C-alpha cells in the first residue's frame, strides 16, 4: 500500500481540512495534521478541546462534515470495503481505561481481532497470543486471567497486547498512562518506545502526561481553537506564545518534570 511522501518522511496519517460537529456545535474546524512513519506523536490540549473526537473521527467511529482523512495512503471515505478492511487491520487501538472485555481472559481478548479479521487455527492463535503477552512484559500466566484479576498496569499492558494482535503499522493510544503510578507510567512509556524501535510502529498518543511528552514523544501537537494550534518539538512548544501552550509547557509542573529529566548544569557539576 502506498504512503505519501512529505520531505523524505513518509506520511502514514494525513488529516486535511477536517470539520466535525454535533448539531450546531463545531468541535473541529478545518483541522490539519500529518503523522510520519516511525514517530511517536503526543497529542495534547485542554480538556474538551476535541482530542477524543479527533481520534474517533480518524478511526471512522465518528462522521466528519468535510475534509479528507488518508490512512496509510488510502482515502478512507472513498475507499472500497476491501481497502478499508486492509487499513483497519493495520491499525491498533488502546482505548482509555484499557477497555478489555471483562468476560474474556487476556488471551481471548488478544485473540478477538484475530478472530475478526483472520482465519487461523486455535493453536496458532494461542502461540501468537503468548508472543504478544511476552512482548508487552506480562508473565505467561496472565493469559488465562480475567481483567478483574489484573492490576491497572497489567490491564494497560494486556490492552496494548490486544492492540498489537495483528502487527499494526499505526497504533492509537488514548491516555495510556492515566491511572498508573509514576513508576508504572515510566515503565509503560519505556515499553512504547521499545516497541516503536523494535517493531517500527508509528504511535499517535493522546496524553496529559508531561513525563510521557518529555521522555518518549518525538513530536507534539497541541489542539486548541478547534484545530492543531502548534506542532513540533518540545523546543517549539517552549518557544510558542499561545498562553495555554506557555502555561502547559512552561508552568510549574512542566518545570519540575524538565528538572527531573535533565538536571541543570549547575546541579550536574555539584555531583
Ligand atoms: N457524541 C457527542 N455528542 C455531542 N457532543 C460531543 C460528543 N462527543 C464529544 N462531544 C463534545 O465535543 C467536545 C470535545 O470532546 P472530547 O471528548 O473530544 O474532548 P477531549 O479533548 O478529549 O477532552 P478530555 O481531555 O477531557 O478527554 C466536548 O465539548 C464534548 O462535549
Amino acid at each position: 500500500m502506498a504512503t505519501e511522501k512529505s520531505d523524505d518522511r513518509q506520511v502514514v496519517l494525513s488529516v486535511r481540512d477536517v470539520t466535525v460537529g454535533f448539531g450546531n456545535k463545531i468541535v473541529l474546524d478545518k483541522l490539519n495534521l500529518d503523522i510520519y512513519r516511525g514517530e511517536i506523536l503526543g497529542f495534547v490540549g485542554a480538556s474538551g478541546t476535541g482530542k477524543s473526537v479527533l481520534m474517533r473521527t480518524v478511526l471512522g467511529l465518528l462522521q466528519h462534515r468535510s475534509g479528507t482523512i488518508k490512512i496509510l495512503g488510502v482515502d478512507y471515505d472513498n475507499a472500497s470495503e476491501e481497502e478499508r478492511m486492509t487499513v483497519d487491520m493495520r491499525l491498533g487501538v488502546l482505548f482509555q481505561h484499557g477497555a478489555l472485555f471483562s468476560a474474556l481472559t487476556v488471551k481471548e481478548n488478544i485473540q478477538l481481532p484475530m478472530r475478526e479479521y483472520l482465519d487461523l487455527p486455535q493453536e496458532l492463535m494461542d502461540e501468537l497470543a503468548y508472543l504478544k503477552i511476552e512482548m508487552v512484559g506480562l508473565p505467561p500466566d496472565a493469559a488465562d486471567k480475567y481483567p478483574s484479576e489484573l492490576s491497572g498496569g497489567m490491564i494497560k499492558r494486556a490492552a496494548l497486547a490486544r492492540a498489537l494482535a495483528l502487527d499494526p503499522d499505526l497504533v492509537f493510544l488514548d491516555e495510556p498512562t492515566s491511572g498508573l503510578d509514576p513508576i508504572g507510567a515510566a515503565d509503560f512509556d519505556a515499553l512504547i518506545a521499545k516497541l516503536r524501535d523494535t517493531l517500527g510502529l508509528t504511535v499517535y498518543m493522546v496524553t496529559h502526561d508531561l513525563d510521557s511528552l518529555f521522555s518518549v514523544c518525538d513530536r507534539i501537537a497541541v489542539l486548541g481553537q478547534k484545530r492543531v494550534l502548534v506542532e513540533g518539538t518540545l523546543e517549539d512548544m517552549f518557544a510558542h506564545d499561545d498562553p495555554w501552550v506557555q502555561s502547559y509547557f512552561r508552568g510549574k509542573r512542566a518545570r519540575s518534570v524538565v528538572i527531573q529529566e535533565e538536571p541543570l548544569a549547575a546541579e550536574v557539576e555539584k555531583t
Side-chain angles (χ1 to χ4, degrees):
M1 205 178 293
T3 44
E4 285 176 36
K5 288 223 168 195
S6 163
D7 328 328
D8 48 358
R9 298 179 290 181
Q10 270 189 331
V11 177
V12 292
L13 171 67
S14 157
V15 178
R16 284 287 165 278
D17 295 325
V18 163
T19 296
V20 183
F22 303 97
N24 53 15
K25 178 179 174 178
I26 300 293
V27 177
L28 305 174
D29 190 14
K30 296 196 176 141
L31 179 140
N32 291 301
L33 176 73
D34 282 329
I35 300 190
Y36 302 102
R37 183 171 295 282
E39 76 172 344
I40 301 179
L41 178 87
F43 217 88
V44 290
S47 198
T49 44
K51 300 179 295 296
S52 301
V53 165
L54 178 60
M55 188 165 134
R56 276 152 60 205
T57 305
V58 167
L59 289 169
L61 303 172
L62 274 180
Q63 297 283 325
H64 50 112
R65 292 186 181 170
S66 56
T68 45
I69 297 173
K70 282 191 187 175
I71 307 177
L72 300 162
V74 173
D75 178 350
Y76 205 80
D77 291 316
N78 296 309
S80 65
E81 195 61 29
E82 202 186 335
E83 279 177 316
R84 281 182 185 212
M85 205 165 110
T86 313
V87 169
D88 290 346
M89 281 176 68
R90 296 175 67 188
L91 308 180
V93 187
L94 191 163
F95 287 106
Q96 213 175 339
H97 311 305
L100 292 173
F101 285 95
S102 58
L104 302 180
T105 63
V106 167
K107 189 171 76 183
E108 289 162 348
N109 265 287
I110 297 170
Q111 290 172 344
L112 267 187
M114 300 179 196
R115 287 188 202 287
E116 193 179 343
Y117 290 103
L118 307 172
D119 184 21
L120 300 175
Q122 185 61 45
E123 210 174 302
L124 181 54
M125 285 202 293
D126 286 346
E127 259 178 56
L128 289 171
Y130 279 106
L131 193 72
K132 306 296 169 189
I133 284 169
E134 191 187 348
M135 211 179 246
V136 298
L138 285 174
D141 68 359
D144 295 317
K145 294 201 163 132
Y146 288 91
S148 59
E149 300 174 278
L150 304 177
S151 70
M154 289 171 90
I155 287 179
K156 297 273 185 189
R157 283 172 193 261
L160 183 61
R162 189 179 62 187
L164 298 175
L166 302 179
D167 297 326
D169 288 313
L170 175 57
V171 179
F172 295 84
L173 309 175
D174 193 359
E175 304 214 18
T177 57
S178 73
L180 300 183
D181 64 65
I183 294 171
D187 285 348
F188 200 84
D189 282 339
L191 172 64
I192 291 167
K194 185 175 137 205
L195 292 173
R196 185 273 303 271
D197 293 342
T198 51
L199 306 176
L201 291 177
T202 305
V203 180
Y204 175 120
M205 172 160 50
V206 175
T207 185
H208 285 290
D209 188 335
L210 281 160
D211 282 306
S212 304
L213 287 169
F214 287 14
S215 59
V216 293
C217 294
D218 303 302
R219 227 157 45 88
I220 296 165
V222 180
L223 195 60
Q225 298 163 27
K226 304 180 183 166
R227 61 191 169 89
V228 174
L229 197 59
V230 205
E231 58 180 302
T233 60
L234 258 185
E235 287 69 35
D236 296 325
M237 302 301 127
F238 289 132
H240 204 271
D241 57 6
D242 175 82
W244 189 86
V245 176
Q246 281 209 355
S247 72
Y248 193 80
F249 288 96
R250 292 156 66 177
K252 206 167 158 195
R253 272 184 59 222
R255 281 202 301 276
S256 69
V257 174
V258 176
I259 288 166
Q260 277 171 31
E261 306 270 327
E262 290 172 34
L264 296 172
E267 288 179 16
V268 173
E269 275 165 23
K270 266 193 265 163
T271 56

